[in-house]
Amino acid sequence: MFSSSFILRRQLRLLPRTISQSNASRSCFLNTAQKPQKKIGASPTKSPKESPSPAKSSSSIPSTSKNPTIEVGEDGSPHIPERPKSWLTHKVETSPTVRYWFMKITALLGYHSPKQRAGLRTFLLYERVCAVTPDRDRNFWQNECDLPPTFQSWFIVTNLHLWMLTVRLRALPEPHGKFYVQFLLDHFFLDIEDRIRAVLQPAIPPRDPYTFFTSFYVNPNIPKDGKLKRGSRAPERLVTRQMKIFKEQWMGMGMWFDYGLVTNDMELASAVWRNLLGARGSQGIAYPDSNPPKFRRGVNLVGGAVENPEKIDLEKEQSRDDGSGVHDYSPDEIDKYVRYPELMLDIVIYMRREIARLEKISDEEIMEGGLETLQFGRIRPVAKKSQ
């Protein structure tokens, strides 16, 4: 039997999503009962269950799923399937009495204050605007940039778009700017912690993620036969260490992207090369006639087998190719370095273009508008067919 404290913590975890669903249902009722008023975009309390694209079809994506997995349509638009409604959400939607007292209690808890509304809004911004970008441009990142299908790759791509959105949120009037930036980072690292635990110690059955499942990276700890063995949870010490590593990466990437943004494209391109492209070739390029050929790979410490990173000989590990991280190109692949200037140019242009686009969006649309106008575009826009 579960203890009362466990049940209470579980319901409090679902409270923000329940409030969003309840507000969405109430807005839908008011819109049908009254004449619609002129608003900017969609409702500010748009439920995370709703699809960001009208092209979503019920035949291709089920309305409910025990394991919500993001899918990308033919047009490149990401679709997040609906999650099963919790018991609390169902009660709030079906019982006027429960809804009345629920709204009273949440008001007393401060969930209708500007600060808490920022927390609800930033969950949608993170899930629907930032976290969907790795799957949407998966072909570019994995096939053209040669990023391996690891959680580290997913992190750096998501962190890039989180930083671009944060640049715009900083310009919001106070205290909204501070609230939005802080809550956006909170949702990001809550999702990171959930995913780290899922990588280090897969659950049986898989626990519902903070946002959604993704096929962008592969969990190396799932047995090939698909049969998971029951075991203890991942050591908290290891989870805490990995969280510190990703926090340092987030701080370092943000600092260098900020520096490149305010200086010039050359500095921004160097930050892209170091943080997104693995700094391949930093120790020289290995040619076919080199003896012995130089080799360097980025050591990915997230994988479950590494419990004492301080005891690892990084220089020795960097010279060993285990097929799990970003590594320098071998002598028979040195022609891939020719594409690097073009890749850096495409990413820098994309960053400048999207930041300028977000700058033109008003504060009201950022805080209360529809999410479609905030979603990032493609890194390489699809060219129209010439006549």
Side-chain angles (χ1 to χ4, degrees):
M1 297 295 293
F2 294 108
S3 63
S4 58
S5 60
F6 173 83
I7 298 176
L8 179 60
R9 290 197 304 268
R10 182 175 178 84
Q11 295 300 329
L12 289 176
R13 180 184 178 89
L14 300 174
L15 191 58
R17 295 176 182 172
T18 303
I19 295 175
S20 297
Q21 293 173 351
S22 176
N23 290 339
S25 301
R26 184 176 61 178
S27 300
C28 180
F29 173 78
L30 293 176
N31 289 337
T32 56
Q34 303 176 1
K35 293 183 180 180
Q37 299 179 357
K38 184 177 180 181
K39 295 183 178 181
I40 301 177
S43 173
T45 55
K46 182 178 179 181
S47 171
K49 311 293 184 181
E50 299 176 4
S51 170
S53 174
K56 177 180 177 180
S57 60
S58 58
S59 59
S60 59
I61 302 176
S63 58
T64 59
S65 173
K66 293 183 179 179
N67 298 329
T69 304
I70 186 174
E71 298 183 13
V72 180
E74 296 180 356
D75 58 347
S77 59
H79 304 306
I80 303 176
E82 296 183 5
R83 302 183 185 87
K85 295 181 180 179
S86 65
W87 171 87
L88 183 58
T89 302
H90 180 73
K91 282 293 184 181
V92 170
E93 291 181 347
T94 56
S95 175
T97 303
V98 174
R99 175 180 296 183
Y100 173 80
W101 288 108
F102 178 80
M103 299 304 294
K104 286 289 186 180
I105 293 174
T106 53
L108 292 176
L109 294 175
Y111 272 89
H112 302 296
S113 64
K115 183 176 181 179
Q116 293 301 328
R117 288 181 66 86
L120 298 175
R121 175 67 173 178
T122 49
F123 174 78
L124 300 179
L125 293 176
Y126 170 71
E127 183 187 49
R128 302 281 171 163
V129 178
C130 298
V132 298
T133 51
D135 294 270
R136 186 200 57 193
D137 289 319
R138 179 177 179 178
N139 179 69
F140 175 81
W141 294 112
Q142 293 188 351
N143 296 338
E144 299 190 40
C145 297
D146 289 331
L147 295 184
T150 60
F151 177 67
Q152 174 69 34
S153 299
W154 184 92
F155 170 82
I156 60 176
V157 175
T158 305
N159 191 26
L160 166 66
H161 295 85
L162 187 89
W163 171 78
M164 288 194 291
L165 182 59
T166 303
V167 172
R168 177 62 184 88
L169 296 181
R170 295 174 193 164
L172 292 176
E174 292 296 337
H176 300 289
K178 179 180 179 181
F179 291 157
Y180 271 72
V181 171
Q182 183 60 56
F183 278 115
L184 185 66
L185 294 178
D186 289 344
H187 292 307
F188 179 46
F189 280 99
L190 284 173
D191 194 21
I192 292 297
E193 183 178 359
D194 266 11
R195 294 180 184 275
I196 287 178
R197 294 182 184 277
V199 170
L200 297 179
Q201 184 62 54
I204 306 174
R207 188 179 66 175
D208 290 340
Y210 188 74
T211 52
F212 49 78
F213 291 102
T214 175
S215 60
F216 186 86
Y217 61 89
V218 179
N219 191 337
N221 291 327
I222 296 181
K224 296 181 179 180
D225 56 5
K227 298 181 180 179
L228 298 176
K229 297 181 180 180
R230 295 184 179 273
S232 60
R233 297 184 304 173
E236 291 298 323
R237 175 174 54 84
L238 181 58
V239 175
T240 302
R241 182 179 297 276
Q242 298 301 333
M243 290 292 293
K244 290 181 179 179
I245 292 175
F246 284 115
K247 180 182 178 182
E248 292 175 357
Q249 292 185 16
W250 164 74
M251 295 177 62
M253 290 179 64
M255 180 183 66
W256 284 110
F257 285 153
D258 285 341
Y259 180 75
L261 181 65
V262 299
T263 52
N264 51 61
D265 290 345
M266 182 177 64
E267 294 292 345
L268 190 58
S270 66
V272 168
W273 171 65
R274 292 191 304 270
N275 294 278
L276 299 178
L277 301 179
R280 292 186 177 100
S282 60
Q283 296 182 359
I285 299 177
Y287 293 93
D289 57 350
S290 58
N291 187 23
K294 295 182 179 179
F295 181 85
R296 186 195 63 84
R297 74 176 181 93
V299 180
N300 185 11
L301 300 180
V302 180
V306 180
E307 296 190 7
N308 298 311
E310 67 277 1
K311 297 183 180 181
I312 294 179
D313 187 350
L314 292 179
E315 184 176 355
K316 180 179 179 180
E317 286 294 326
Q318 286 179 350
S319 62
R320 181 178 64 86
D321 183 13
D322 63 351
S324 64
V326 178
H327 58 79
D328 290 345
Y329 292 122
S330 58
D332 58 343
E333 296 178 322
I334 57 175
D335 58 329
K336 292 185 177 181
Y337 286 110
V338 179
R339 300 184 306 172
Y340 261 48
E342 182 182 357
L343 289 175
M344 289 187 286
L345 177 62
D346 289 339
I347 297 176
V348 169
I349 291 177
Y350 169 71
M351 295 170 66
R352 295 283 189 184
R353 182 179 70 241
E354 291 301 314
I355 291 177
R357 180 185 63 85
L358 292 174
E359 184 181 2
K360 298 178 181 178
I361 300 177
S362 64
D363 295 340
E364 290 76 11
E365 289 181 289
I366 295 290
M367 296 187 293
E368 301 180 357
L371 299 176
E372 293 82 2
T373 58
L374 301 179
Q375 291 177 345
F376 292 99
R378 305 300 295 271
I379 297 179
R380 290 177 177 172
V382 180
K384 297 181 180 180
K385 294 182 179 180
S386 58
Q387 297 181 355

